Amino acid sequence: MSASFGRQIRSLVRRNLIHIKRQPEALTDVTIQPVMFVLLFAYVFGGSINIPGGSYREWLLPGIMAQTMAFSSFVVAIGLNNDLQKGIIDRFRSLPIHRPSVLLARAISSVMHSSIGIVVMSLTGLIVGWRIHEGVGKALLAYLLLLLFGFAMIWIGILVGSSMDSPEAVNGVMFATMFPITFLANTFAPPEGMPTFVRVIAEWNPISALVQAMRELWGNTGNFPTPEAWPLQHPVLVSIGWSVLISVVVAPMALRAYNRRTTN
Amino acid sequence: MTPPNASPTIEAIDLVKTFGDMTAVDRVSFQVPTGSVLGLLGPNGAGKTTTVRMMTTLTPPTSGTGRIAGHDIIKEPAAVRRSMGLTAQSATVDELLTGRENLRLIADLYGIDKQRTRSLADELLERFSLTDAADKVAKQYSGGMRRRLDLAASLVAAPPVLFLDEPTTGLDPRSRQELWEVLRGLVKEGTTLLLTTQYLEEADNLADNVIVIDKGRIIAEGTPLQLKDRSGAARLVVTLSRPEDIPQAHELLKGVIPELHLDEDVRQFSGPADLASINTLASLLADHEIEVDDLGLKRPSLDDVFLSLTGHRAEEAAK
């Protein structure tokens, strides 16, 4: 009497989605927060950042998309940490289920959560003047790169969620690390104007490659010359490379942390 | 009662668990015959939860093993998980799901037929008096309701073996009594129970056999009655009706009870005695026309047992 892997995952994903429904404020990270960032940067800082031959708002939107996707690691980490904390994971592990289904369901619901954010941001973008100027194929590739990056972020979420003692600690650690990382990039301003040390970090930041790739694939670069930094000259490949590398490096660490946490 | 040659439903064999230098569980072995209740009694940190976690396949033993319904906990964890239910120390219900959703989720995970899932949830809610709260999120439940829901979740697949880790910790006396009733019902239906507790009263009330565990080791084992006998003789307690009789009674009782203790405020004498001395005393007091409010033997409580075995009280150590 053991349910199919599929039914277990479906039931657990449904449970995670019910959580979102009962706690809609958990969605602010993919709704109110990115919209606020779009509005703040577009209308407060937008005037002082000059994008030759393009609009700052169009240039900005891929940056905020990437930032929001980076923050999706929060969602995984906090959700998982809560379940660990409250003994729910133990309850699941005492049942005759396929053990990976718990983490897989967590990953799937996180992708769904982030997808809501992508839709909300795309719509907000369209309202403030963002447009896709290239073909459907390129546009879809940009969205795929974004989701692939989201997949890599899930592992970071599992690692942090399994390593910290409380959801508050998770929040603190994630805020202190992910927040600056998303700013130390080409997200909101071109790296060219940054001091050399900071500029090099920004150019090699995985988020920058992703953002550059989306800007190019959607045609949001304006008349900016292609940046000289190597990762930004091959943004699509580099972005895929970063997402794969992060997954390959972090996934074993995350699984080890999760196993250590759950078996002790 | 189980036939003597039947294999026990729960069996722990030399279980050891170490965390770094700390030995949390130290060569613990026990057997629970089918349909009986074993109480694992000890203060916080004694190793009760770790023992339960090993037996329920949540954490692997450092050495030793165990069997549940004939399945080895290390070699056949999947079969073990199918044979048992676990109610963990903190009521592990999903606070954001309703009672009904909680039970359905568990039933779905077990792979119980969809139609059956629906009626099963209703039956369990009814049985645990949660029907009225079935569609409220568990966050709004009281402590007692949560425990009942948690227990109901453990019973979704009607497992023959149930582990309960401190099932009534934090409950008020009434909820505790109610839960005991439910557990007695389960045992009557043939479920084999292992429960851990810090409450001596609970072990006394529910368990057929008790294992006293302290610092990871089993320090005593037996029926609640045997354990009480081990902690020394019963005490005789005499309560006089009139304070003016105290001096005369004192003289008379001294002859029968060697280590007599007097509590003047409540006119109460007490001391180690046996059944025969009761008769002697009763007639002695009657002959001298000394009236008594109460006269009887008091068996030591499990609390006294714990004190005599470990040198500290169970509930004190827990704090």
Side-chain angles (χ1 to χ4, degrees):
Chain A
M1 190 191 52
S2 182
S4 70
F5 202 18
R7 184 169 169 202
Q8 287 165 6
I9 291 177
R10 271 200 310 282
S11 317
L12 291 168
V13 168
R14 195 183 316 125
R15 167 207 176 234
N16 294 341
L17 295 182
I18 293 177
H19 277 208
I20 296 179
K21 194 175 89 185
R22 302 267 156 83
Q23 221 174 20
E25 64 272 20
L27 273 182
T28 50
D29 65 323
V30 289
T31 52
I32 297 171
Q33 188 180 303
V35 169
M36 211 177 61
F37 269 113
V38 170
L39 298 179
L40 276 177
F41 278 90
Y43 296 100
V44 179
F45 300 105
S48 52
I49 300 173
N50 198 17
I51 302 299
S55 95
Y56 179 66
R57 283 177 228 162
E58 284 206 71
W59 190 85
L60 169 73
L61 203 88
I64 296 192
M65 289 251 195
Q67 185 190 44
T68 306
M69 200 47 101
F71 288 168
S72 70
S73 50
F74 274 59
V75 182
V76 177
I78 289 175
L80 181 62
N81 192 270
N82 244 316
D83 282 354
L84 284 165
Q85 203 53 12
K86 294 194 171 144
I88 308 264
I89 299 283
D90 274 350
R91 155 72 76 197
F92 292 152
R93 289 176 70 249
S94 76
L95 301 175
I97 63 172
H98 301 273
R99 287 200 165 169
S101 58
V102 176
L103 285 185
L104 261 170
R106 184 51 68 199
I108 292 170
S109 28
S110 154
V111 169
M112 292 167 90
H113 186 127
S114 311
S115 304
I116 298 175
I118 294 178
V119 171
V120 169
M121 279 180 293
S122 297
L123 292 174
T124 315
L126 289 173
I127 293 169
V128 300
W130 168 74
R131 294 290 179 270
I132 292 175
H133 302 282
E134 303 287 333
V136 179
K138 283 187 174 178
L140 284 180
L141 178 59
Y143 279 112
L144 276 176
L145 290 179
L146 190 59
L147 284 173
L148 183 66
F149 182 69
F151 179 78
M153 291 301 107
I154 288 170
W155 295 111
I156 293 183
I158 293 174
L159 176 63
V160 176
S162 303
S163 310
M164 296 288 122
D165 284 336
S166 69
E168 291 74 26
V170 169
N171 229 330
V173 166
M174 294 299 260
F175 202 77
T177 53
M178 288 311 253
F179 203 75
I181 288 173
T182 61
F183 275 82
L184 266 176
N186 59 359
T187 338
F188 301 103
E192 281 73 23
M194 301 174 184
T196 314
F197 176 68
V198 179
R199 197 196 67 216
V200 173
I201 294 177
E203 285 167 348
W204 285 85
N205 187 333
I207 290 172
S208 294
L210 173 65
V211 172
Q212 181 68 21
M214 287 191 289
R215 279 180 188 144
E216 287 182 8
L217 291 168
W218 285 332
N220 299 140
T221 50
N223 285 340
F224 258 121
T226 308
E228 278 171 29
W230 182 82
L232 302 184
Q233 291 193 333
H234 314 277
V236 174
L237 280 178
V238 172
S239 174
I240 294 172
W242 270 123
S243 294
V244 171
L245 184 70
I246 294 172
S247 301
V248 167
V249 172
V250 181
M253 293 162 71
L255 290 177
R256 205 176 313 130
Y258 175 78
N259 285 334
R260 200 181 310 127
R261 174 74 174 261
T262 50
T263 54
N264 272 340
Chain B
M1 277 280 106
T2 329
N5 58 349
S7 64
T9 297
I10 306 175
E11 191 178 12
I13 306 155
D14 262 341
L15 281 177
V16 174
K17 182 76 182 182
T18 55
F19 298 106
D21 307 336
M22 208 262 294
T23 304
V25 174
D26 195 1
R27 278 166 297 154
V28 164
S29 300
F30 53 78
Q31 300 191 338
V32 190
T34 306
S36 73
V37 182
L38 175 71
L40 219 54
L41 177 69
N44 258 350
K48 305 187 300 287
T49 298
T50 307
T51 303
V52 168
R53 287 179 62 82
M54 286 190 279
M55 292 301 289
T56 54
T57 76
L58 290 180
T59 188
T62 306
S63 68
T65 188
R67 272 192 282 273
I68 310 284
H71 304 292
D72 190 282
I73 56 170
I74 297 167
K75 291 181 200 132
E76 309 160 83
V80 168
R81 286 176 209 137
R82 273 194 291 277
S83 316
M84 59 90 192
L86 166 67
T87 301
Q89 198 164 355
S90 54
T92 51
V93 299
D94 190 323
E95 292 185 325
L96 289 175
L97 299 192
T98 65
R100 194 191 304 278
E101 286 165 344
N102 263 293
L103 295 179
R104 280 204 193 161
L105 171 63
I106 303 292
D108 279 336
L109 292 174
Y110 269 112
I112 291 170
D113 178 75
K114 281 255 188 256
Q115 293 295 314
R116 178 75 190 113
T117 297
R118 204 158 298 183
S119 54
L120 182 65
D122 288 340
E123 283 164 31
L124 284 167
L125 289 163
E126 173 77 41
R127 174 169 178 191
F128 288 93
S129 322
L130 291 168
T131 306
D132 291 341
D135 297 310
K136 275 191 198 151
V137 291
K139 207 177 214 169
Q140 297 171 12
Y141 283 21
S142 69
M145 289 162 79
R146 251 174 221 236
R147 291 284 177 163
R148 296 207 300 273
L149 180 60
D150 195 22
L151 188 55
S154 317
L155 296 175
V156 161
V161 177
L162 200 58
F163 287 87
L164 300 135
D165 194 5
E166 302 199 7
T168 63
T169 298
L171 289 191
D172 58 82
R174 213 190 107 190
S175 306
R176 184 175 299 167
Q177 289 286 349
E178 284 172 359
L179 205 76
W180 287 355
E181 264 327 294
V182 174
L183 294 179
R184 286 195 194 101
L186 287 170
V187 173
K188 213 173 272 173
E189 289 163 25
T191 307
T192 307
L193 230 63
L194 185 149
L195 68 94
T196 76
T197 184
Q198 298 182 34
Y199 301 111
L200 306 143
E201 192 196 355
E202 188 157 272
D204 200 5
N205 255 283
L206 292 173
D208 300 308
N209 282 294
V210 176
I211 281 176
V212 185
I213 178 168
D214 191 40
K215 302 189 177 94
R217 290 204 176 147
I218 294 180
I219 54 168
E221 190 170 357
T223 64
L225 202 66
Q226 285 168 340
L227 287 180
K228 287 177 190 177
D229 281 345
R230 277 187 58 169
S231 88
R235 291 176 77 78
L236 179 91
V237 181
V238 185
T239 311
L240 303 184
S241 307
R242 297 181 302 252
E244 56 269 30
D245 290 336
I246 290 178
Q248 195 191 1
H250 198 224
E251 284 307 307
L252 292 169
L253 292 174
K254 258 199 318 204
V256 187
I257 303 172
E259 294 162 54
L260 191 64
H261 175 82
L262 165 65
D263 189 342
E264 283 220 51
D265 295 340
V266 291
R267 308 178 307 279
Q268 197 172 68
F269 293 95
S270 63
D274 56 23
L275 222 53
S277 50
I278 291 196
N279 288 331
T280 320
L281 273 176
S283 46
L284 209 57
L285 292 169
D287 290 348
H288 292 81
E289 292 178 347
I290 297 173
E291 280 181 35
V292 296
D293 284 348
D294 191 36
L295 187 156
L297 267 185
K298 188 174 163 280
R299 290 200 159 273
S301 72
L302 275 173
D303 209 6
D304 299 326
V305 177
F306 203 87
L307 187 61
S308 71
L309 288 170
T310 65
H312 56 89
R313 289 198 175 270
E315 276 154 70
E316 266 169 28
K319 270 159 203 160

